[in-house]
Amino acid sequence: MLEKLISFDTVSRNSNLDLITFVQQLLKNYGIESVLIHDANNTKANLLATIGPAIEGGVVLSGHTDVVPIDGQEWTSDPFTMTKRGGRLYGRGTADMKSFIAIILGALDALTKSSLKSPIHLAFSYDEEVGCIGVPSLIREIKKSVPKPRAVIVGEPTGMKVVSAQKGITDVRTIVVGHEAHSSQTHSGVSAIMVAAELIQYIRNLAADIAVKGTHDHHFEPDHTTISVNLIRGGTAVNILAGNCTFQWDIRSLPSEDPMVYVEQFKKHCADVVLPRLHAISPACNIESSIQASAPPLRFEADSGAEQLCRMLTGDNDVRAVSYAAEAGHFQQNDISAVICGPGSIAQAHQPNEYIDVEQVKMGTRFLYDLINHLSR
Ligand SMILES: [Zn+2]
């Protein structure tokens, strides 16, 4: 099954419909009806299905169907052909996170033959890797058509450990409009790139400040909110003061911190300190910052339905948090308790030669069968 899922090139910029249609047909073969929730262009879809009685107290198994690109990465085998080498299964999405979905689909026979007293809901999303774009409409559909579930298990790779908190994401784009002039006439123009450099330095100082003086939570690695600038574009020629520069920055915030505080602080600095100076040269100069994507954090919620269930099934009682974002925060934000617990290691995710240990797939499979047994009692 994993081999089949890996063969679909579901890099987020592509359609995931071939994979989703395959899953829908497979479910149908087992007599399981599913609903697709399409994006605005009808090129992508979430899938929602229920196995077992349509009553409250079910468990949602949540996974994303998209994968990150392979551009510029050196792979020793075809990323979209699953390859087994020495106890490992290689391919894009083996760790993040098609194995979790493959384990579920591989257990459809057992799932349909079991006598579930509480339902299992399958919630497979699109575009998680580009800012959790698909999951909001999927959750809306769950709230509309599914009797309230007791828990969501997001099967991102945690080595089958129970993760009960994650950082939030806020992605900001800043557009600097300068004033073009001959590069020898710096007094009569504004290089947007020079301004951007100054603003990036401001963000760098802000991040360094947070690392020292901000909130610390030892469950996270690193244990504080981080900010980094990772995309930049601007200018036309080396001898023209750059008319524009756009850069994007990424805030990974602790659940206890509001990332918008930092965005507002940055905007205030632009408005009060930087812009007046630019306007003295040209009133057309501008700095504009807008949120491009965001994902809420997953907050610790001791003894939540999801946490209790997964601790009981895995025997893992340690308190864990991750710094990457997942869809768990979205579910929690909608009053459905969630944890992250799935096979594989995040260390292999997004990497060239991404792999999952066969042992992890076995652990994930055992976990699912234990869940089925538990819900059948
Ligand atoms: Zn993932």
Side-chain angles (χ1 to χ4, degrees):
M1 181 57 63
L2 181 57
E3 190 172 4
K4 181 70 184 172
L5 296 186
I6 297 298
S7 74
F8 294 104
D9 176 355
T10 54
V11 169
S12 310
R13 62 178 170 242
N14 301 331
S15 166
N16 74 336
L17 287 183
D18 286 349
L19 183 151
I20 286 290
T21 315
F22 164 77
V23 173
Q24 185 167 46
Q25 185 56 49
L26 187 70
L27 292 171
K28 203 169 186 171
N29 296 345
Y30 285 94
I32 304 164
E33 286 307 314
S34 55
V35 181
L36 302 191
I37 304 108
H38 286 88
D39 70 342
N41 304 323
N42 267 323
T43 57
K44 297 177 182 186
N46 300 304
L47 179 145
L48 177 64
T50 293
I51 307 167
I55 57 170
E56 285 190 11
V59 175
V60 179
L61 301 179
S62 149
H64 63 80
T65 58
D66 60 320
V67 294
V68 293
I70 51 157
D71 308 338
Q73 293 187 341
E74 296 254 348
W75 284 70
T76 49
S77 58
D78 176 17
F80 299 106
T81 306
M82 194 189 78
T83 324
K84 189 172 180 182
R85 294 196 296 273
R88 293 171 173 178
L89 305 171
Y90 288 85
R92 173 56 88 225
T94 47
D96 186 12
M97 56 174 291
K98 288 179 170 174
S99 289
F100 183 71
I101 297 176
I103 287 168
I104 299 165
L105 299 180
L108 286 178
D109 195 43
L111 269 164
T112 44
K113 283 181 181 152
S114 66
S115 47
L116 288 170
K117 303 272 192 302
S118 306
I120 286 182
H121 311 285
L122 310 184
F124 301 151
S125 67
Y126 64 87
D127 279 2
E128 190 269 353
E129 296 289 4
V130 285
C132 300
I133 307 290
V135 77
S137 64
L138 179 55
I139 294 177
R140 276 197 295 280
E141 183 63 31
I142 291 174
K143 292 192 88 161
K144 195 181 84 184
S145 65
V146 170
K148 190 170 171 48
R150 80 175 86 161
V152 180
I153 301 170
V154 177
E156 293 275 0
T158 66
M160 293 314 299
K161 301 291 185 196
V162 182
V163 170
S164 31
Q166 81 189 37
K167 284 184 178 176
I169 300 184
T170 308
D171 284 337
V172 190
R173 184 179 66 191
T174 298
I175 300 175
V176 182
V177 178
H179 185 83
E180 286 193 346
H182 191 282
S183 60
S184 67
Q185 302 298 300
T186 51
H187 60 292
S188 61
V190 173
S191 164
I193 292 180
M194 297 291 277
V195 176
E198 183 186 335
L199 297 179
I200 291 168
Q201 181 62 30
Y202 180 85
I203 293 172
R204 185 174 176 271
N205 291 344
L206 178 61
D209 251 21
I210 295 168
V212 179
K213 295 180 224 149
T215 310
H216 290 254
D217 182 336
H218 72 274
H219 294 105
F220 293 89
E221 170 69 32
D223 65 357
H224 52 79
T225 295
T226 58
I227 310 181
S228 54
V229 178
N230 304 305
L231 274 176
I232 188 162
R233 194 179 60 237
T236 45
V238 73
N239 55 2
I240 303 173
L241 295 179
N244 56 74
C245 183
T246 299
F247 62 92
Q248 291 195 42
W249 38 303
D250 177 75
I251 308 175
R252 300 297 173 121
S253 53
L254 291 176
S256 60
E257 289 208 323
D258 177 5
M260 289 312 291
V261 168
Y262 301 122
V263 178
E264 291 309 322
Q265 183 182 333
F266 174 82
K267 282 183 174 175
K268 188 169 171 8
H269 173 75
C270 293
D272 295 354
V273 179
V274 185
L275 265 176
R277 202 185 71 221
L278 309 185
H279 284 161
I281 299 173
S282 163
C285 289
N286 196 23
I287 304 171
E288 220 174 82
S289 297
S290 56
I291 308 296
Q292 295 299 295
S294 64
L298 177 67
R299 296 165 203 285
F300 287 112
E301 195 189 342
D303 291 327
S304 72
E307 194 174 299
Q308 278 183 7
L309 177 69
C310 284
R311 292 207 186 291
M312 191 262 301
L313 292 172
T314 60
D316 177 28
N317 287 314
D318 290 341
V319 178
R320 296 167 207 279
V322 291
S323 291
Y324 60 84
E327 295 172 338
H330 290 83
F331 283 101
Q332 187 183 54
Q333 207 178 39
N334 282 277
D335 289 327
I336 311 172
S337 90
V339 291
I340 309 170
C341 182
S345 163
I346 196 67
Q348 271 83 53
H350 302 198
Q351 299 284 328
N353 298 319
E354 176 181 348
Y355 69 84
I356 188 165
D357 286 317
V358 173
E359 190 50 42
Q360 281 291 314
V361 178
K362 286 183 185 160
M363 277 176 73
T365 307
R366 271 201 299 277
F367 173 85
L368 179 61
Y369 279 84
D370 288 347
L371 175 68
I372 297 170
N373 287 335
H374 177 71
L375 297 179
S376 301
R377 265 185 233 130

